[in-house]
Amino acid sequence: MPDLLLELRSEEIPARMQRKAAGELRKMLTDGLVEAGLTYEAAREYWTPRRLTLDIRGLNARSKDIHEDIKGPSTSAPEQAVQGFLRKAGLSSIAEAHVHSDPKKGDFYVAHISNPGRAAEEIIAGLVPDIIRNFPWPKSMRWGPASAKPGSLRWVRPLQSILCTFGPETEEPVVVDFEIDGIRSGNITYGHRFLAPGEITVRRFDDYVSKLEAAKVVLDADRRKEIILADARNLAFANGLDLVEDEGLLEEVSGLVEWPVVLMGEFEQAFLAIPAEVIRLTIRANQKCFVTRPQGESDALSNRFILTANIEAKDGGKEIAHGNGKVVRARLSDALYFWTTDQGDLPDLEQLRASAEKFGLDLKKPLDQRMARLDHLNVTFHAKLGTQGERVERIARLAEELAPIVGADPALARRAAVLAKADLTTEVVGEFPELQGGMGRKYALLQGDHQSVAAAIEEHYKPQGPSDYVPSDPVSVAVALADKLDTLVGFWAIDEKPTGSKDPYALRRAALGVIRILVENSVNVELTDVFYKQRDFEISKEADAIRGRIVADVLSSREAAAEHLAETEILAHLGKDEYLHLYTLLEAAEKANRISPLQQADALKIADAYVSRYTAVEYQANMSLFDELRSFFHDRLKVYLRDKGARHDLIDAVITPQSDDLLQIVRRVEALGSFLDTEDGKNLLAGTKRAANILAAEEKKKTAVAETVEPALFRQDAEKSLFAAVNQAEKQAGEAIQNQDFSAAMLALSALREPVDSFFEHVLVNDEDLSVRANRLALLTRIRTATGQVADFSKIAG
């Protein structure tokens, strides 16, 4: 069967766009071919900086003939229906339709449509120009004289030639002829821009690849990556070094060259005083080069770097390496300046004293100065959530509250939280934002802060995804939890929640981070308590501000007070008498231009009354907010547990809307799963579900159920045995749950298996005596209550 070869050759395509663009080309063309009635055996895309190539094997030479019958309206249908049928069938008049008869429906129109198949070349010649014109580049351009005309061709970089051949292996392939904006397809391509720029005549894919290789072009991007990696490793090894591998950089560099030539450059040893991460990022970001390290060392770097050229130079690449070295030295000089500047004093220390006092900062320490500046500059975190300084204040307070729960020193937790965002104002992080946290850790250690404080500055951003590591140092755990919970509660409070696929503030990731920190560090935290602690700080702060404004307004003028009252909606929370009293005070103050101590005391009482009411209203509003946020955590926890292999029905059986302790939920699911894998567990599940079903049916019929079980009404030994077993299991399971020992709780419940089986075997629940029946239903309720301490067994499959 015929094969299709397509190459679109242009000026250099940005490396980050190449892989996706080649995939889009394959999808758009194969989808179009299939839609036109052609099938193919295989398709693969290739790319270099200057070309997108598609190799499609086993393509039909012609699409199939299509015969279709389109049923129309009755022959007696109104003209409007007939015209609609003609448009649908593509007929010019009703005379072109046929009349069919049906014994029940009578005569009706039918259009017999026959579409003859088309040659593949014709289909391809129509598809490719359309694909080129509508290709979804993130950014595209027009060029040349034609660019002045409306509707002129756009491409990521100027398109220079199109190669398109089609044919079977046994015959000479033909050129699929088409033209777009003066560029006509052909069987000609060109080799490497500098090493072999001449024309190359191509027949099919195999000789296309071999001829390009001879013209210094490696078509396969994965092969270019293999060449670069192997040569870089070998060159480093030959110089007594190890290559610091970087998959992202390797992908990018392979998209910058068609004929990779690996070389080694160097810079002065003095630059190694810069942190390794900064050196690596400087060389990676600016020169797209790999760094190396001495063999056997994991932290230190060497002063040699690996670069990838696109040509074979006559001097073996010495000038290329030298030129790259000059640029690297300039960039590292900048990095060294940033690094040393960050360890010096800021010029505006006097202006930072108020911020330093607020956070307990030591202005003799460089990182403390940066935190004071972050607060002093009032850098906005979010328009509705205040500045970075206010956010740090909230995080520090919450971290201090969480510290005893996670086993951290509250003073260290507060110190770490206060400095956690300080490196955002450093020169290095300004140049390389991806180093935030990591640079803060280095600067904290340099100024003598505790190891745990320094670690928390870096680790409080962790984990940043499902595969990222979870901090384990108690101080890091406290600050990481405070940071993420402040973000979640804050954005929930301003109604900025994730919707569908949109999550601009990464709140799902933050919630998963909280879950992983709690579970993987075995930390028990009541979520609602933490939510209240975070919001209590904000509510108290706002209440104090309003109290101060009311009193200040009373002491100034009624006009100013009225404006502030309207802004803060104070009047909505004041009672009628309180409002009249406040108004009288304001009026008196305006007339006398002063206020007596007694009146001032009255103003304070009114302010306190308002603040009390404001606080109550805010806390009531937060109740539903906390319920929503807890439900959000439950949804993320379900995803986390399912990814770990937990059964969805066990998760649903354990989680209730009020479940607050995420670690407890996980441990219950684990214990329940292990228990239900045993024979006792399976049998108890069956018995418990039977009890639950009977209760549900009787409750639906409004059958009386006794409030408590009365042993005097027992008539059979099985009832007595079950009652005793339930009492014992309920007590033991409850104690085990109090001790967070859910395996022991399951073991206690397993003792119910035999008495439950015996009860259903020997006892008829729906006894004729209504009091006996109510008592037996109450006994079943006790079974449900006992097992419900661990899970809702009615939600478990089986």
Side-chain angles (χ1 to χ4, degrees):
M1 296 179 72
D3 301 330
L4 172 66
L5 171 62
L6 174 67
E7 179 202 74
L8 305 177
R9 191 179 64 87
S10 66
E11 296 290 342
E12 280 71 9
I13 304 167
R16 68 183 183 278
M17 299 183 187
Q18 293 167 19
R19 183 180 291 272
K20 185 177 180 183
E24 287 283 356
L25 178 62
R26 175 182 55 78
K27 185 179 186 305
M28 292 175 75
L29 186 53
T30 53
D31 285 354
L33 294 172
V34 170
E35 190 176 336
L38 297 176
T39 61
Y40 61 94
E41 293 176 358
R44 184 177 172 185
E45 69 273 23
Y46 299 87
W47 61 92
T48 77
R50 300 183 64 214
R51 61 200 85 219
L52 300 179
T53 299
L54 199 55
D55 173 30
I56 300 180
R57 303 291 177 95
L59 188 64
N60 295 130
R62 188 177 183 84
S63 62
K64 294 180 180 179
D65 296 340
I66 298 175
H67 301 286
E68 182 184 9
D69 292 340
I70 301 176
K71 187 177 178 181
S74 167
T75 54
S76 58
E79 181 62 22
Q80 189 175 1
V82 173
Q83 290 302 319
F85 165 65
L86 293 177
R87 285 193 298 274
K88 179 182 177 182
L91 302 180
S92 57
S93 73
I94 199 63
E96 297 176 9
H98 296 76
V99 177
H100 287 210
S101 296
D102 185 280
K104 294 181 179 179
K105 298 182 180 179
D107 294 344
F108 58 91
Y109 293 114
V110 175
H112 299 301
I113 308 297
S114 293
N115 289 320
R118 292 190 298 155
E121 296 98 308
E122 180 187 345
I123 294 172
I124 295 164
L127 271 176
V128 175
D130 187 58
I131 289 170
I132 292 172
R133 287 197 177 279
N134 296 289
F135 201 80
W137 290 108
K139 290 184 178 180
S140 59
M141 62 180 288
R142 295 179 294 177
W143 63 93
S147 63
K149 300 175 184 176
S152 61
L153 177 64
R154 301 185 69 91
W155 199 244
V156 63
R157 295 291 185 268
L159 189 63
Q160 295 177 331
S161 67
I162 301 171
L163 182 152
C164 190
T165 66
F166 180 73
E169 290 185 10
T170 55
E171 299 176 14
E172 187 68 21
V174 299
V175 171
V176 179
D177 186 45
F178 56 86
E179 183 181 345
I180 178 167
D181 271 31
I183 303 172
R184 182 167 292 281
S185 59
N187 61 351
I188 303 294
T189 188
Y190 297 82
H192 191 282
R193 181 190 290 274
F194 305 111
L195 301 177
E199 289 187 0
I200 302 171
T201 302
V202 175
R203 297 173 65 249
R204 52 177 55 86
F205 183 74
D206 291 340
D207 75 304
Y208 168 74
V209 173
S210 60
K211 288 179 177 179
L212 278 181
E213 188 98 15
K216 306 298 185 181
V217 175
V218 178
L219 181 67
D220 189 343
D222 290 332
R223 184 160 166 261
R224 291 199 302 276
K225 287 171 67 174
E226 290 170 5
I227 292 170
I228 294 168
L229 185 58
D231 289 356
R233 284 172 176 167
N234 292 337
L235 184 56
F237 183 78
N239 285 271
L241 304 168
D242 286 332
L243 176 72
V244 178
E245 297 183 15
D246 185 329
E247 177 60 32
L249 179 59
L250 182 61
E251 173 77 14
E252 184 175 8
V253 170
S254 72
L256 297 175
V257 297
E258 290 194 318
W259 189 253
V261 178
V262 173
L263 303 170
M264 179 173 282
E266 64 179 327
F267 54 86
E268 285 74 10
Q269 290 271 358
F271 289 121
L272 294 178
I274 306 170
E277 306 96 299
V278 179
I279 294 175
R280 185 175 178 181
L281 270 175
T282 299
I283 293 176
R284 181 191 199 279
N286 294 295
Q287 287 304 104
K288 314 302 179 191
C289 296
F290 299 88
V291 293
T292 62
R293 59 183 170 225
Q295 288 180 354
E297 296 190 27
S298 57
D299 298 326
L301 296 181
S302 79
N303 66 326
R304 305 282 186 88
F305 61 91
I306 301 290
L307 62 118
T308 308
N310 192 34
I311 60 171
E312 292 175 336
K314 293 178 181 179
D315 64 353
K318 290 180 181 178
E319 280 300 315
I320 296 173
H322 178 70
N324 275 265
K326 288 172 65 177
V327 178
V328 165
R329 287 184 202 100
R331 298 298 186 182
L332 289 177
S333 294
D334 292 341
L336 183 60
Y337 168 77
F338 297 148
W339 168 244
T340 53
T341 301
D342 286 340
Q343 296 172 61
D345 288 337
L346 292 172
D348 53 349
L349 287 182
E350 284 303 316
Q351 299 176 29
L352 307 180
R353 297 202 179 278
S355 294
E357 186 176 343
K358 179 167 68 173
F359 287 100
L361 298 166
D362 182 356
L363 289 183
K364 294 178 183 177
K365 297 181 176 182
L367 194 60
D368 289 51
Q369 295 176 22
R370 271 69 188 174
M371 177 57 225
R373 172 179 272 185
L374 182 67
D375 180 64
H376 173 71
L377 293 176
N378 289 320
V379 178
T380 300
F381 168 62
H382 186 281
K384 295 181 181 178
L385 294 175
T387 64
Q388 285 283 12
E390 290 169 334
R391 183 181 180 221
V392 168
E393 193 176 359
R394 294 193 302 267
I395 294 171
R397 185 175 181 274
L398 188 55
E400 200 171 7
E401 297 262 10
L402 290 170
I405 299 173
V406 302
D409 182 328
L412 291 180
R414 177 171 182 81
R415 173 67 176 167
V418 166
L419 294 180
K421 309 297 180 184
D423 66 354
L424 295 178
T425 59
T426 62
E427 299 287 343
V428 170
V429 172
E431 182 73 10
F432 302 112
E434 57 267 54
L435 290 180
Q436 63 184 11
M439 294 311 300
R441 179 178 193 159
K442 289 185 179 297
Y443 293 138
L445 289 173
L446 284 171
Q447 68 178 26
D449 273 293
H450 194 281
Q451 288 276 359
S452 292
V453 170
I457 293 172
E458 179 176 24
E459 294 179 340
H460 83 280
Y461 291 108
K462 306 291 184 179
Q464 293 189 322
S467 59
D468 198 9
Y469 77 89
V470 172
S472 57
D473 184 290
V475 176
S476 297
V477 169
V479 181
L481 284 173
D483 179 59
K484 292 168 178 58
L485 288 167
D486 175 77
T487 298
L488 286 158
V489 175
F491 280 106
W492 240 256
I494 62 171
D495 200 27
E496 289 280 3
K497 306 163 194 170
T499 54
S501 61
K502 294 180 180 178
D503 187 9
Y505 303 109
L507 301 182
R508 292 189 181 99
R509 186 176 70 187
L512 179 60
V514 171
I515 290 166
R516 290 189 61 203
I517 290 170
L518 294 176
V519 173
E520 295 178 31
N521 285 289
S522 298
V523 175
N524 293 101
V525 168
E526 297 289 331
L527 284 179
T528 303
D529 288 349
V530 178
F531 298 162
Y532 267 114
K533 286 173 181 174
Q534 196 277 347
R535 287 300 295 152
D536 179 64
F537 176 64
E538 284 300 293
I539 292 171
S540 299
K541 187 177 178 182
E542 180 64 18
D544 288 343
I546 291 171
R547 181 189 285 108
R549 280 207 299 273
I550 291 176
V551 176
D553 290 342
V554 168
L555 298 174
S556 58
S557 71
R558 192 175 67 203
E559 285 79 1
E563 184 178 343
H564 280 154
L565 289 172
E567 286 177 0
T568 56
E569 300 180 357
I570 290 177
L571 297 182
H573 295 286
L574 286 176
K576 182 179 178 183
D577 293 341
E578 292 164 336
Y579 168 68
L580 290 173
H581 193 174
L582 179 59
Y583 185 86
T584 302
L585 286 169
L586 294 172
E587 191 172 40
E590 183 185 25
K591 288 180 179 177
N593 210 17
R594 65 184 182 84
I595 190 165
S596 69
L598 182 61
Q599 289 173 319
Q600 184 173 351
D602 284 346
L604 283 169
K605 287 179 183 177
I606 293 172
D608 287 339
Y610 164 71
V611 166
S612 175
R613 200 163 307 170
Y614 165 82
T615 304
V617 170
E618 284 296 308
Y619 277 127
Q620 188 61 40
N622 282 323
M623 286 297 293
S624 60
L625 181 150
F626 294 158
D627 288 342
E628 287 181 23
L629 185 51
R630 189 169 51 241
S631 176
F632 177 72
F633 267 101
H634 289 169
D635 290 341
R636 303 320 301 162
L637 181 60
K638 289 177 183 179
V639 173
Y640 170 79
L641 288 172
R642 285 169 190 159
D643 288 344
K644 295 288 184 183
R647 285 168 44 183
H648 67 88
D649 57 330
L650 301 190
I651 301 169
D652 292 338
V654 168
I655 291 181
T656 67
Q658 290 74 40
S659 296
D660 244 4
D661 190 329
L662 302 181
L663 177 65
Q664 195 176 101
I665 293 171
V666 173
R667 296 291 180 258
R668 286 183 188 228
V669 170
E670 291 171 351
L672 184 59
S674 299
F675 177 58
L676 293 178
D677 285 339
T678 66
E679 200 62 32
D680 282 347
K682 293 171 185 174
N683 289 334
L684 179 60
L685 174 62
T688 305
K689 288 175 75 74
R690 184 175 176 184
N693 290 337
I694 292 171
L695 280 171
E698 296 304 318
E699 287 168 352
K700 191 174 183 180
K701 292 188 286 186
K702 301 191 183 305
T703 303
V705 179
E707 291 186 7
T708 59
V709 178
E710 181 53 60
L713 293 174
F714 291 157
R715 294 183 176 177
Q716 299 193 35
D717 291 341
E719 293 177 272
K720 298 174 185 177
S721 298
L722 179 58
F723 182 60
V726 167
N727 285 335
Q728 175 110 8
E730 193 170 35
K731 180 173 178 291
Q732 291 178 347
E735 291 172 352
I737 289 170
Q738 283 291 108
N739 297 324
Q740 301 281 313
D741 190 347
F742 299 106
S743 295
M746 292 299 174
L747 184 63
L749 292 178
S750 68
L752 290 175
R753 177 239 173 132
E754 190 175 330
V756 167
D757 290 348
S758 178
F759 178 83
F760 284 120
E761 185 177 346
H762 299 103
V763 177
L764 177 65
V765 175
N766 288 326
D767 194 90
E768 292 181 359
D769 187 326
L770 295 181
S771 59
V772 172
R773 178 190 300 181
N775 197 55
R776 289 174 177 172
L777 288 172
L779 189 54
L780 296 185
T781 304
R782 288 289 303 281
I783 297 172
R784 183 170 64 182
T785 303
T787 56
Q789 292 180 97
V790 175
D792 184 349
F793 276 54
S794 66
K795 293 182 177 179
I796 301 173

